[in-house]
Amino acid sequence: MSTSTDNWEQVQATAKQVLGDNVVKFIESCRAEPNPESQLIAVLHKVQAEYGYLAEAHLDAVAQLMQIPAAKVAGVASFYHYYRLEPRGRFLINICMGTACYVKGADRVAQKLMDELGIRFGETTTDGVFTLEGTRCIGTCGLAPVMMIDDKVHAEVTPDQVPVILEKYLDQVRRAGSETSGRT
Amino acid sequence: MFGEIRVFRQRPFDGNSHNLGEIVGTVQDRYQELSGQAEARRQEQLATNPILIQVGSATCEHAAGSREVFEEFRKHIVASGRDDILLHQTGCTGRCSREPIVGVFVPGQIPIKYERVDRELVHQIFTSHVQNNQPLLAHVLDGPVERVYAFEFLCCGSHRCGWEEGANLEASLPGLLKDAGVDLEQVNIARASCFGACSSGNEKTCSHVLVKPDKVLYRVCSTDDLKEIIEKHIQGGQIVDRLRVGGKTIGRKFFEIYGDVAFFNRQTRVALRHNGVLDPGSITEYFHYRGFQALAKVLDKGDPNWVIEQVKKSKLRGRGGGGFPTGNKWTMAAKAAEKIRYIICNADEGDPGAFMDRSMLESDPFNVVEGMIIGGFAIGASRGFFYVRAEYPLAIERIQNAIQECRRHGLLGKGILGSDFDFDLEVRLGAGAFVCGEETALIHSIEGERGQPRIRPPYPTESGLWGKPTVINNVETFANITAVINYGAEWLGQIGTPSSGGTKVFALAGKIRHTGLVEVPMGMTLRELVEEIGGGVVGGKKLKAVQTGGPAGGCIPAHMLDLPIDFDSLSKAGSIMGSGGMIVLDEDDCMVDVAKFFMTFSQDESCGKCTPCREGTTRMLEILERITHGKGTLEDLGLLERLAKLVKKSSLCGLGRAAPNPVLSTLNHFRDEYIAHVADKRCPAKKCAALLRYEIDPQKCVGCTVCARNCPVTCISGSRREVHVIDQERCIKCGRCAEVCRFNAVLRT
Ligand SMILES: Cc1cc2nc3c(=O)[nH]c(=O)nc-3n(C[C@H](O)[C@H](O)[C@H](O)COP(=O)(O)O)c2cc1C
Ligand code: SF4
Ligand code: SF4
Ligand code: SF4
Ligand code: FES
Ligand code: FES
């Protein structure tokens, strides 16, 4: 990757602001390796890990810092399912729609989730609490059907358990809410 | 840990393993030094902590709660003040439905494994078993058991073992023990699969038996040999050296721990031999289980052609789905004129319902890494890549740790083990695109591009990553490499069928009693796998079909269950071996719906580059949806078949070419179900909602109103204590009423 742009410092400063130190440091470390442009996917993972999704501003900054055409960065970001281009809710629900889970009734659990939350796959509830996504096989087929909420795996879920599980998370939000309002 | 303690420079065992021979050159010196140091560290720990509590740690184990279990044991050990216990973590054994699994290993006693352990059970295990030597028989894995035996005989039941026509260790042992006056209540006799102690020299002239708790493997060639073992070992406490088989043979360690469990003892563990045995984070333990011995041998010989010859001789075929002979692939890259070459491990594991690769990466990462270094040497690569799904964070963590440890020990980097071979590895992440499992798409993805395939040829072995010759192999393929070198190509080659050597790992899931990972010799029948190891279908339902190969595979109907599992038989039956996903379907599964499920997947994952796949999968999905919604016609079936054949023929990459397989195989084997959907507007499995009808049986309804209160569209009417009625016009067929009625009054037809 070349640093031939004349306003390099300014570009770097802007990008740093958008991406934050962590990501910038990561990009710099990639620049030291052979074939730095091949690290684009890793860089986007890093951004998503940091911000929960890839905003347009992030993509532009990555393109600038890595000296890769913005169109290509956007193309890569939209090609891979793992990247989210919209902000996510406070909790990310991933229901497994893999084969093993499907034959054990994941479709009914998914339907229940959609009914309860009033959203479909890829959407976020209007209160910003839940984002619902479908995923494929998280490698725990033996415990099918499974659903992940952030990092926690819920095994052998039935449609009836869905409201109970959601309620626990809503409770967290309410408690957090009352704590902050109590403090202010 | 629980292994017999040996100084490293062991007498190599005479059977199949290649003699390490005299230490020659610096590679062996360096290796001996490293492994000697590791062994010393291990011995030191064992001397102070002879008792081992082992807790599973893998994505599946964690999902079942094993982290809490581990923490609870830690607290108990601290609170008890005992300093002779080692809390040990291991990967996953593959016994998913019984996790978390905990092992308690006390020297001189038969190892006990517990299933479905939770915090409460931790307390009981600790107080009763660990502190008071009273194992909890009710919670033993695959138990409950009635007693803990003083001795256990594990008899090899593989076809290579056995002497004299019809001699059968399992059958003759009870009589011999009784004659000798041994209390049969004290002895457990079980059948195991190959211990890896057989070789062409002793095939069919002798058999092997593992005697526990002393963990002595005997080779017996006559009834007199057995009598001697009973008299001297069981009764006299003296090991019969004359019959003892030394060395670390392949299946042995696993059977020492798990050999008494029915789910495990029909398996032949090669790629999974360390799962549930060693700590995946510890290079010290990996050294103990012959870790890097294969690499040292390869670098010591210094001849890439020799390595490739061994791989060819083992008849190893790629485990990623295609079944291409691995030795041939390596030859193609090794012969390339271009000297910069790459090797890639495909850990994208895209089949939605398979988790073999995840388990290997999480449970035995060093083995896969070692296989890759050997592969790199064989083809003359100096850089290698792990392409891992981003959805597997724990696997990524463990592989990264393994790479770092290898670098620290001079097993990766410049001048590996003092040889002139330079090689390094890095991890690259996928980002959730199934098509990236395809070789050329994977290469584009590593290059930082959109993961779209390109036309082959040129094949990656000719022009791959950055245009250089590149070998791509699956995780399981690499996991077999160390076994080929350490245990011998001939030995691996003789397991399996004449055209496909070795074993295959399957992820058993769906409507089967024992879900989990199984590794069996190629050529075992589906029936043995599903019924004997998997325990058959749950809930007394009838098995309808076994789906193999995921979205690229097909369904094998129940009446073909005696089919041997190998690349050729499965493809003849209209399915494929695939990477090892195996989903068992029962009478409640609708085959049209299954075909639709896979088509939804393929349509969604089609990269859109070529028209036959992009449009073809969309059209096929539309037709399948029509059929499951009761709007299909007989003509649709012909149309579907024609489209499927067209897409199969004209798509650019393997995704499109294989996407029609689930449709074609179900049309072939289950045409009557399709016809029921289109002609009679009926779903025989009662799965397709649109074709169902819910009705309330007036004879049975007591008018409790529960259904009416639960119906999401309030289309059920009726007053309290009166027969309720469903308004068929408004009913959305959600099935809620049938679920909630406690009087079985809602009929589904
Ligand atoms: C759409 C598609 C997806 C694939 N997914 C995988 C995968 O997840 N893992 C894998 O090892 N091979 C996968 N393959 C097969 C690979 O392209 C390749 O044949 C294999 O990795 C070669 O390794 P092997 O010779 O050791 O089997 C896939 C192929 C296609 C067409
Ligand atoms: S067959 Fe499908 S996945 Fe493969 S290149 Fe064509 S459109 Fe893409
Ligand atoms: S729940 Fe069953 S018994 Fe009760 S009103 Fe409905 S159909 Fe009748
Ligand atoms: S199937 Fe659903 S919509 Fe139809 S009557 Fe029953 S509960 Fe109501
Ligand atoms: S299919 Fe759901 S975890 Fe594998
Ligand atoms: S040890 Fe009996 S067949 Fe290998």
Side-chain angles (χ1 to χ4, degrees), chain B residues 625-669:
Chain B
E625 271 173 350
R626 236 176 10 242
I627 298 175
T628 54
H629 281 116
K631 299 189 177 117
T633 60
L634 267 175
E635 288 76 63
D636 275 337
L637 300 190
L639 184 61
L640 190 59
E641 201 154 12
R642 278 204 307 284
L643 252 172
K645 286 184 176 152
L646 182 79
V647 173
K648 200 175 160 89
K649 259 210 305 258
S650 53
S651 290
L652 188 153
C653 86
L655 192 154
R657 281 202 293 266
N661 288 349
V663 170
L664 287 171
S665 92
T666 46
L667 267 175
N668 181 18
H669 295 300

Short mmCIF file of all heavy atoms in Angstrom, two decimals, chain B residues 625-669:
data_model
loop_
_atom_site.label_atom_id
_atom_site.label_comp_id
_atom_site.label_asym_id
_atom_site.label_seq_id
_atom_site.Cartn_x
_atom_site.Cartn_y
_atom_site.Cartn_z
N GLU B 625 -42.22 -23.95 -3.43
CA GLU B 625 -43.14 -23.21 -2.55
C GLU B 625 -44.58 -23.41 -3.00
O GLU B 625 -45.48 -23.60 -2.17
CB GLU B 625 -42.75 -21.74 -2.49
CG GLU B 625 -41.77 -21.54 -1.37
CD GLU B 625 -41.15 -20.16 -1.29
OE1 GLU B 625 -41.33 -19.35 -2.23
OE2 GLU B 625 -40.48 -19.91 -0.28
N ARG B 626 -44.75 -23.36 -4.32
CA ARG B 626 -46.09 -23.60 -4.85
C ARG B 626 -46.60 -24.96 -4.38
O ARG B 626 -47.72 -25.10 -3.92
CB ARG B 626 -46.00 -23.61 -6.38
CG ARG B 626 -46.92 -22.63 -6.98
CD ARG B 626 -46.97 -22.38 -8.43
NE ARG B 626 -46.29 -23.19 -9.38
CZ ARG B 626 -45.33 -22.72 -10.18
NH1 ARG B 626 -44.92 -21.47 -10.07
NH2 ARG B 626 -44.78 -23.50 -11.08
N ILE B 627 -45.74 -25.95 -4.50
CA ILE B 627 -46.16 -27.31 -4.14
C ILE B 627 -46.51 -27.41 -2.65
O ILE B 627 -47.55 -27.96 -2.28
CB ILE B 627 -45.07 -28.33 -4.51
CG1 ILE B 627 -44.84 -28.33 -6.02
CG2 ILE B 627 -45.43 -29.73 -4.02
CD1 ILE B 627 -43.69 -29.21 -6.48
N THR B 628 -45.66 -26.84 -1.81
CA THR B 628 -45.94 -26.98 -0.38
C THR B 628 -47.12 -26.10 0.05
O THR B 628 -47.69 -26.31 1.10
CB THR B 628 -44.71 -26.61 0.49
OG1 THR B 628 -44.27 -25.30 0.11
CG2 THR B 628 -43.59 -27.60 0.29
N HIS B 629 -47.48 -25.14 -0.80
CA HIS B 629 -48.65 -24.33 -0.46
C HIS B 629 -49.93 -24.89 -1.07
O HIS B 629 -50.98 -24.26 -1.02
CB HIS B 629 -48.46 -22.88 -0.92
CG HIS B 629 -47.58 -22.12 0.02
ND1 HIS B 629 -46.36 -21.61 -0.34
CD2 HIS B 629 -47.74 -21.82 1.33
CE1 HIS B 629 -45.79 -21.02 0.71
NE2 HIS B 629 -46.61 -21.15 1.74
N GLY B 630 -49.80 -26.06 -1.69
CA GLY B 630 -51.00 -26.71 -2.24
C GLY B 630 -51.42 -26.14 -3.58
O GLY B 630 -52.53 -26.36 -4.02
N LYS B 631 -50.51 -25.40 -4.23
CA LYS B 631 -50.88 -24.80 -5.51
C LYS B 631 -50.11 -25.43 -6.67
O LYS B 631 -50.11 -24.92 -7.77
CB LYS B 631 -50.63 -23.29 -5.47
CG LYS B 631 -51.47 -22.63 -4.39
CD LYS B 631 -51.43 -21.12 -4.46
CE LYS B 631 -52.34 -20.53 -3.41
NZ LYS B 631 -51.62 -19.73 -2.42
N GLY B 632 -49.42 -26.51 -6.38
CA GLY B 632 -48.63 -27.16 -7.42
C GLY B 632 -49.48 -28.07 -8.30
O GLY B 632 -50.58 -28.47 -7.94
N THR B 633 -48.94 -28.35 -9.48
CA THR B 633 -49.63 -29.26 -10.39
C THR B 633 -48.67 -30.38 -10.78
O THR B 633 -47.47 -30.29 -10.52
CB THR B 633 -50.03 -28.53 -11.69
OG1 THR B 633 -48.84 -28.05 -12.31
CG2 THR B 633 -50.96 -27.37 -11.41
N LEU B 634 -49.24 -31.40 -11.41
CA LEU B 634 -48.39 -32.51 -11.86
C LEU B 634 -47.32 -32.03 -12.85
O LEU B 634 -46.20 -32.51 -12.84
CB LEU B 634 -49.24 -33.59 -12.51
CG LEU B 634 -49.71 -34.71 -11.57
CD1 LEU B 634 -50.64 -35.66 -12.29
CD2 LEU B 634 -48.52 -35.45 -10.97
N GLU B 635 -47.71 -31.04 -13.68
CA GLU B 635 -46.73 -30.52 -14.65
C GLU B 635 -45.53 -29.90 -13.93
O GLU B 635 -44.42 -29.93 -14.44
CB GLU B 635 -47.36 -29.43 -15.55
CG GLU B 635 -48.35 -29.95 -16.58
CD GLU B 635 -49.69 -30.30 -15.93
OE1 GLU B 635 -50.33 -29.38 -15.39
OE2 GLU B 635 -50.06 -31.48 -15.94
N ASP B 636 -45.80 -29.32 -12.75
CA ASP B 636 -44.71 -28.70 -11.99
C ASP B 636 -43.58 -29.68 -11.71
O ASP B 636 -42.41 -29.30 -11.69
CB ASP B 636 -45.24 -28.14 -10.67
CG ASP B 636 -45.82 -26.74 -10.84
OD1 ASP B 636 -45.43 -26.07 -11.82
OD2 ASP B 636 -46.65 -26.33 -10.01
N LEU B 637 -43.96 -30.94 -11.48
CA LEU B 637 -42.93 -31.93 -11.16
C LEU B 637 -41.97 -32.12 -12.33
O LEU B 637 -40.76 -32.19 -12.15
CB LEU B 637 -43.55 -33.26 -10.76
CG LEU B 637 -44.48 -33.23 -9.54
CD1 LEU B 637 -44.83 -34.65 -9.10
CD2 LEU B 637 -43.86 -32.47 -8.39
N GLY B 638 -42.55 -32.21 -13.53
CA GLY B 638 -41.71 -32.36 -14.72
C GLY B 638 -40.83 -31.13 -14.93
O GLY B 638 -39.64 -31.24 -15.21
N LEU B 639 -41.43 -29.97 -14.72
CA LEU B 639 -40.70 -28.71 -14.88
C LEU B 639 -39.53 -28.65 -13.90
O LEU B 639 -38.41 -28.29 -14.25
CB LEU B 639 -41.68 -27.56 -14.64
CG LEU B 639 -41.16 -26.15 -14.84
CD1 LEU B 639 -40.70 -25.96 -16.27
CD2 LEU B 639 -42.25 -25.13 -14.48
N LEU B 640 -39.84 -29.04 -12.67
CA LEU B 640 -38.83 -29.02 -11.60
C LEU B 640 -37.66 -29.92 -11.98
O LEU B 640 -36.49 -29.55 -11.85
CB LEU B 640 -39.48 -29.51 -10.30
CG LEU B 640 -38.68 -29.37 -9.01
CD1 LEU B 640 -38.34 -27.92 -8.75
CD2 LEU B 640 -39.47 -29.93 -7.83
N GLU B 641 -37.98 -31.09 -12.47
CA GLU B 641 -36.94 -32.05 -12.82
C GLU B 641 -36.08 -31.52 -13.97
O GLU B 641 -34.85 -31.63 -13.93
CB GLU B 641 -37.60 -33.38 -13.21
CG GLU B 641 -36.67 -34.55 -13.10
CD GLU B 641 -37.43 -35.85 -12.86
OE1 GLU B 641 -38.68 -35.87 -13.02
OE2 GLU B 641 -36.78 -36.86 -12.53
N ARG B 642 -36.73 -30.92 -14.97
CA ARG B 642 -35.97 -30.42 -16.12
C ARG B 642 -35.03 -29.29 -15.69
O ARG B 642 -33.86 -29.24 -16.05
CB ARG B 642 -36.93 -29.92 -17.21
CG ARG B 642 -37.47 -31.03 -18.10
CD ARG B 642 -37.91 -30.50 -19.46
NE ARG B 642 -38.85 -29.40 -19.38
CZ ARG B 642 -40.15 -29.53 -19.08
NH1 ARG B 642 -40.66 -30.72 -18.84
NH2 ARG B 642 -40.95 -28.48 -19.04
N LEU B 643 -35.59 -28.39 -14.88
CA LEU B 643 -34.78 -27.27 -14.39
C LEU B 643 -33.58 -27.77 -13.58
O LEU B 643 -32.46 -27.29 -13.76
CB LEU B 643 -35.65 -26.41 -13.46
CG LEU B 643 -36.10 -25.06 -13.94
CD1 LEU B 643 -37.09 -24.48 -12.96
CD2 LEU B 643 -34.91 -24.12 -14.09
N ALA B 644 -33.86 -28.73 -12.71
CA ALA B 644 -32.80 -29.26 -11.84
C ALA B 644 -31.66 -29.81 -12.69
O ALA B 644 -30.48 -29.54 -12.43
CB ALA B 644 -33.37 -30.34 -10.92
N LYS B 645 -32.03 -30.55 -13.71
CA LYS B 645 -30.98 -31.15 -14.55
C LYS B 645 -30.19 -30.08 -15.30
O LYS B 645 -28.98 -30.18 -15.47
CB LYS B 645 -31.59 -32.15 -15.53
CG LYS B 645 -31.99 -33.42 -14.78
CD LYS B 645 -32.51 -34.51 -15.68
CE LYS B 645 -32.79 -35.76 -14.85
NZ LYS B 645 -33.85 -36.58 -15.42
N LEU B 646 -30.90 -29.03 -15.72
CA LEU B 646 -30.25 -27.94 -16.45
C LEU B 646 -29.25 -27.20 -15.55
O LEU B 646 -28.10 -26.96 -15.94
CB LEU B 646 -31.32 -26.98 -16.96
CG LEU B 646 -30.78 -25.82 -17.77
CD1 LEU B 646 -30.47 -26.28 -19.19
CD2 LEU B 646 -31.77 -24.65 -17.79
N VAL B 647 -29.70 -26.86 -14.35
CA VAL B 647 -28.84 -26.11 -13.43
C VAL B 647 -27.61 -26.95 -13.08
O VAL B 647 -26.49 -26.45 -13.01
CB VAL B 647 -29.63 -25.74 -12.15
CG1 VAL B 647 -28.71 -25.13 -11.11
CG2 VAL B 647 -30.76 -24.77 -12.49
N LYS B 648 -27.84 -28.24 -12.91
CA LYS B 648 -26.76 -29.15 -12.56
C LYS B 648 -25.69 -29.15 -13.66
O LYS B 648 -24.50 -29.17 -13.38
CB LYS B 648 -27.36 -30.55 -12.42
CG LYS B 648 -26.52 -31.54 -11.61
CD LYS B 648 -27.32 -32.84 -11.47
CE LYS B 648 -26.41 -34.00 -11.13
NZ LYS B 648 -26.21 -34.18 -9.69
N LYS B 649 -26.16 -29.12 -14.89
CA LYS B 649 -25.22 -29.21 -16.01
C LYS B 649 -24.50 -27.90 -16.29
O LYS B 649 -23.34 -27.89 -16.65
CB LYS B 649 -25.98 -29.62 -17.29
CG LYS B 649 -25.84 -31.09 -17.63
CD LYS B 649 -25.92 -31.37 -19.11
CE LYS B 649 -27.15 -30.85 -19.77
NZ LYS B 649 -28.18 -31.84 -20.04
N SER B 650 -25.21 -26.78 -16.13
CA SER B 650 -24.67 -25.55 -16.71
C SER B 650 -24.16 -24.52 -15.73
O SER B 650 -23.74 -23.44 -16.13
CB SER B 650 -25.74 -24.92 -17.61
OG SER B 650 -26.92 -24.76 -16.89
N SER B 651 -24.17 -24.83 -14.42
CA SER B 651 -23.68 -23.82 -13.48
C SER B 651 -22.16 -23.78 -13.47
O SER B 651 -21.50 -24.76 -13.81
CB SER B 651 -24.19 -24.13 -12.06
OG SER B 651 -25.56 -23.90 -12.01
N LEU B 652 -21.66 -22.65 -13.04
CA LEU B 652 -20.22 -22.43 -13.08
C LEU B 652 -19.49 -23.20 -11.99
O LEU B 652 -18.46 -23.80 -12.21
CB LEU B 652 -19.95 -20.93 -12.97
CG LEU B 652 -18.54 -20.41 -13.18
CD1 LEU B 652 -18.61 -18.98 -13.68
CD2 LEU B 652 -17.72 -20.46 -11.91
N CYS B 653 -19.99 -23.14 -10.76
CA CYS B 653 -19.22 -23.75 -9.68
C CYS B 653 -20.02 -24.85 -8.99
O CYS B 653 -21.18 -25.10 -9.30
CB CYS B 653 -18.77 -22.71 -8.66
SG CYS B 653 -19.98 -22.35 -7.38
N GLY B 654 -19.36 -25.47 -8.04
CA GLY B 654 -19.94 -26.61 -7.34
C GLY B 654 -21.24 -26.29 -6.63
O GLY B 654 -22.09 -27.17 -6.46
N LEU B 655 -21.43 -25.02 -6.20
CA LEU B 655 -22.66 -24.70 -5.49
C LEU B 655 -23.86 -24.91 -6.41
O LEU B 655 -24.80 -25.62 -6.08
CB LEU B 655 -22.62 -23.27 -4.96
CG LEU B 655 -23.72 -22.87 -3.97
CD1 LEU B 655 -23.26 -21.75 -3.07
CD2 LEU B 655 -25.02 -22.48 -4.64
N GLY B 656 -23.81 -24.30 -7.56
CA GLY B 656 -24.91 -24.41 -8.50
C GLY B 656 -25.05 -25.83 -9.04
O GLY B 656 -26.16 -26.33 -9.20
N ARG B 657 -23.90 -26.46 -9.28
CA ARG B 657 -23.97 -27.80 -9.85
C ARG B 657 -24.56 -28.81 -8.89
O ARG B 657 -25.11 -29.83 -9.30
CB ARG B 657 -22.58 -28.24 -10.32
CG ARG B 657 -22.21 -27.63 -11.67
CD ARG B 657 -21.15 -28.44 -12.35
NE ARG B 657 -19.89 -28.39 -11.61
CZ ARG B 657 -18.93 -27.52 -11.88
NH1 ARG B 657 -19.08 -26.66 -12.88
NH2 ARG B 657 -17.82 -27.50 -11.20
N ALA B 658 -24.41 -28.55 -7.59
CA ALA B 658 -24.91 -29.52 -6.61
C ALA B 658 -26.26 -29.11 -6.03
O ALA B 658 -26.95 -29.94 -5.42
CB ALA B 658 -23.90 -29.69 -5.49
N ALA B 659 -26.64 -27.85 -6.20
CA ALA B 659 -27.87 -27.37 -5.57
C ALA B 659 -29.11 -28.20 -5.93
O ALA B 659 -30.00 -28.37 -5.09
CB ALA B 659 -28.09 -25.89 -5.91
N PRO B 660 -29.22 -28.72 -7.16
CA PRO B 660 -30.41 -29.51 -7.47
C PRO B 660 -30.44 -30.90 -6.82
O PRO B 660 -31.48 -31.55 -6.84
CB PRO B 660 -30.34 -29.67 -9.00
CG PRO B 660 -29.39 -28.61 -9.46
CD PRO B 660 -28.41 -28.44 -8.35
N ASN B 661 -29.32 -31.35 -6.26
CA ASN B 661 -29.28 -32.72 -5.73
C ASN B 661 -30.37 -33.06 -4.74
O ASN B 661 -30.99 -34.12 -4.85
CB ASN B 661 -27.90 -33.03 -5.12
CG ASN B 661 -26.83 -33.19 -6.18
OD1 ASN B 661 -27.16 -33.27 -7.37
ND2 ASN B 661 -25.57 -33.23 -5.79
N PRO B 662 -30.64 -32.21 -3.75
CA PRO B 662 -31.72 -32.57 -2.80
C PRO B 662 -33.07 -32.74 -3.52
O PRO B 662 -33.85 -33.62 -3.15
CB PRO B 662 -31.75 -31.38 -1.84
CG PRO B 662 -30.41 -30.78 -1.91
CD PRO B 662 -29.94 -30.98 -3.32
N VAL B 663 -33.31 -31.93 -4.53
CA VAL B 663 -34.57 -32.04 -5.27
C VAL B 663 -34.60 -33.33 -6.08
O VAL B 663 -35.55 -34.12 -5.99
CB VAL B 663 -34.75 -30.84 -6.23
CG1 VAL B 663 -35.91 -31.06 -7.18
CG2 VAL B 663 -34.95 -29.55 -5.43
N LEU B 664 -33.52 -33.58 -6.81
CA LEU B 664 -33.50 -34.77 -7.65
C LEU B 664 -33.58 -36.05 -6.82
O LEU B 664 -34.29 -36.99 -7.18
CB LEU B 664 -32.23 -34.77 -8.51
CG LEU B 664 -32.24 -33.75 -9.65
CD1 LEU B 664 -30.87 -33.66 -10.31
CD2 LEU B 664 -33.31 -34.13 -10.68
N SER B 665 -32.87 -36.08 -5.69
CA SER B 665 -32.89 -37.33 -4.92
C SER B 665 -34.25 -37.55 -4.26
O SER B 665 -34.72 -38.68 -4.18
CB SER B 665 -31.74 -37.36 -3.91
OG SER B 665 -32.14 -36.85 -2.68
N THR B 666 -34.92 -36.47 -3.81
CA THR B 666 -36.24 -36.69 -3.21
C THR B 666 -37.27 -37.01 -4.29
O THR B 666 -38.15 -37.84 -4.07
CB THR B 666 -36.71 -35.46 -2.39
OG1 THR B 666 -36.49 -34.28 -3.15
CG2 THR B 666 -35.97 -35.35 -1.07
N LEU B 667 -37.14 -36.38 -5.46
CA LEU B 667 -38.05 -36.71 -6.56
C LEU B 667 -37.90 -38.18 -6.95
O LEU B 667 -38.87 -38.86 -7.28
CB LEU B 667 -37.75 -35.84 -7.78
CG LEU B 667 -38.54 -34.55 -7.95
CD1 LEU B 667 -38.01 -33.76 -9.13
CD2 LEU B 667 -40.02 -34.82 -8.10
N ASN B 668 -36.68 -38.64 -6.88
CA ASN B 668 -36.39 -40.01 -7.26
C ASN B 668 -36.92 -41.01 -6.22
O ASN B 668 -37.64 -41.95 -6.55
CB ASN B 668 -34.88 -40.14 -7.45
CG ASN B 668 -34.48 -41.53 -7.87
OD1 ASN B 668 -35.32 -42.30 -8.34
ND2 ASN B 668 -33.21 -41.85 -7.71
N HIS B 669 -36.59 -40.78 -4.96
CA HIS B 669 -36.94 -41.76 -3.94
C HIS B 669 -38.30 -41.52 -3.29
O HIS B 669 -38.86 -42.42 -2.66
CB HIS B 669 -35.88 -41.79 -2.84
CG HIS B 669 -34.54 -42.28 -3.30
ND1 HIS B 669 -34.35 -43.53 -3.82
CD2 HIS B 669 -33.32 -41.68 -3.30
CE1 HIS B 669 -33.07 -43.69 -4.14
NE2 HIS B 669 -32.43 -42.58 -3.83
#
